[in-house]
Amino acid sequence: MKIKDGFVLRQVASSYVVMNIGGELSFNKMITLNESGALIWNALADGLSAEEAAKRITSEYEVSYEVALNDVNSFIEKMKEAGVIE
Amino acid sequence: MNKPISLDDIFPIISEQLVSGGTASFTIHGTSMLPFLKDRKDKVWITKPNRKLKKYDIIFYRLDGVGFILHRIVKVTRDGVICRGDNHTDNEPLLKFDDVIAIVTDYERNGKKRSVDSVFQILYSRFWVNTMIFRKVKRKIESMFKNRKGK
């Protein structure tokens, strides 16, 4: 499970946008993330597993490990559906 | 997860996308390119130009105090291009080549994506640009009648 090559995260105003460098950037289908989404993204981009990413979240936010892991898995599923994670 | 972002905010990443050889696509806003492109309905794909700009090309650029614009080239000079919206009758001041951000490669109307190199688009653009003078005269006459009615 990893972020596909070419996909990067960029900050735009107070949001984060997932870009496909060299591909197509569609305003109509843009994936934007909030702070916590960006945290998960960066953890995955650093090569962490879902469990390790969840641990990183618990160090940044006051949430239980179970809740964090649930969020990470949900994020991964959505990114897979969007074709960003393989 | 998805929410709208303004063109001004996102311009740096559009720029990065175009420089990397990618494309950007968006729904157009405004009526300056009617009848060809409809406000908030039609969509365009843009990319960094990889050839010389030509008359009839639709280009994307930014003007200070105005914002981002998508208009058609009606003349190419040694120093730049002169543009005009399809719904306008007056030409814009010279735009330097370096100020051109991107060129339109495809567009979507009524849910159907087409290339700007399609036969329809080629015929339409030549016809529309070269008959501008008739629309200008028509608008002038209409305006004169409107003014007379008001008196």
Side-chain angles (χ1 to χ4, degrees):
Chain A
M1 182 268 304
K2 75 178 194 86
I3 296 170
K4 285 181 181 173
D5 288 340
F7 283 92
V8 297
L9 194 67
R10 290 287 182 265
Q11 186 166 5
V12 176
S14 56
S15 288
Y16 296 86
V17 174
V18 175
M19 278 180 68
N20 180 9
I21 299 287
E24 182 183 326
L25 175 69
S26 170
F27 267 58
N28 302 67
K29 293 184 243 179
M30 207 180 312
I31 299 173
T32 56
L33 307 178
N34 56 18
E35 288 279 350
S36 56
L39 186 65
I40 298 173
W41 175 281
N42 289 329
L44 298 176
D46 287 343
L48 300 184
S49 65
E51 293 74 18
E52 288 164 335
K55 277 185 192 159
R56 187 183 278 190
I57 290 176
T58 58
S59 69
E60 294 283 332
Y61 295 99
E62 283 187 22
V63 291
S64 69
Y65 172 77
E66 289 73 24
V67 169
L69 184 60
N70 194 48
D71 285 348
V72 170
N73 285 328
S74 176
F75 178 93
I76 290 171
E77 277 315 302
K78 283 184 181 160
M79 287 295 134
K80 276 183 180 173
E81 279 171 27
V84 176
I85 285 182
E86 57 190 359
Chain B
M1 193 187 285
N2 295 333
K3 60 180 180 182
I5 287 181
S6 78
L7 202 42
D8 268 310
D9 287 335
I10 207 163
F11 180 68
I13 70 167
I14 288 178
S15 197
E16 181 181 358
Q17 183 75 353
L18 297 177
V19 164
S20 75
T23 63
S25 63
F26 51 89
T27 301
I28 66 109
H29 284 230
T31 57
S32 64
M33 282 299 288
L34 283 173
F36 173 52
L37 294 170
K38 292 193 182 75
D39 180 32
R40 291 164 214 264
K41 284 195 177 145
D42 296 331
K43 195 171 153 184
V44 295
W45 280 257
I46 60 172
T47 189
K48 198 111 181 106
N50 57 5
R51 57 159 173 78
K52 273 189 179 171
L53 294 173
K54 297 183 296 188
K55 187 177 177 182
Y56 309 117
D57 282 342
I58 302 170
I59 58 172
F60 181 66
Y61 51 101
R62 180 159 60 177
L63 287 183
D64 287 335
V66 177
F68 291 99
I69 298 178
L70 198 82
H71 282 173
R72 194 182 297 276
I73 294 175
V74 295
K75 188 173 180 179
V76 179
T77 74
R78 191 176 51 192
D79 302 313
V81 295
I82 292 174
C83 296
R84 189 174 69 223
D86 280 8
N87 197 23
H88 295 166
T89 51
D90 293 321
N91 292 345
E92 292 158 22
L94 182 78
L95 180 78
K96 291 185 189 157
F97 291 117
D98 286 346
D99 291 334
V100 176
I101 299 168
I103 186 172
V104 173
T105 56
D106 299 88
Y107 64 99
E108 184 183 278
R109 290 187 70 186
N110 302 321
K112 206 170 175 184
K113 185 178 176 182
R114 292 186 176 94
S115 164
V116 293
D117 295 326
S118 67
V119 172
F120 167 77
Q121 174 54 210
I122 289 172
L123 291 174
Y124 161 82
S125 61
R126 272 86 179 141
F127 170 79
W128 196 258
V129 168
N130 295 311
T131 56
M132 179 277 289
I133 189 65
F134 299 109
R135 289 193 298 283
K136 192 167 188 172
V137 167
K138 177 176 174 273
R139 286 186 189 182
K140 189 87 181 161
I141 294 171
E142 283 169 349
S143 158
M144 282 165 57
F145 272 105
K146 215 187 229 179
N147 289 341
R148 279 204 178 165
K149 267 190 184 174
K151 282 185 182 169

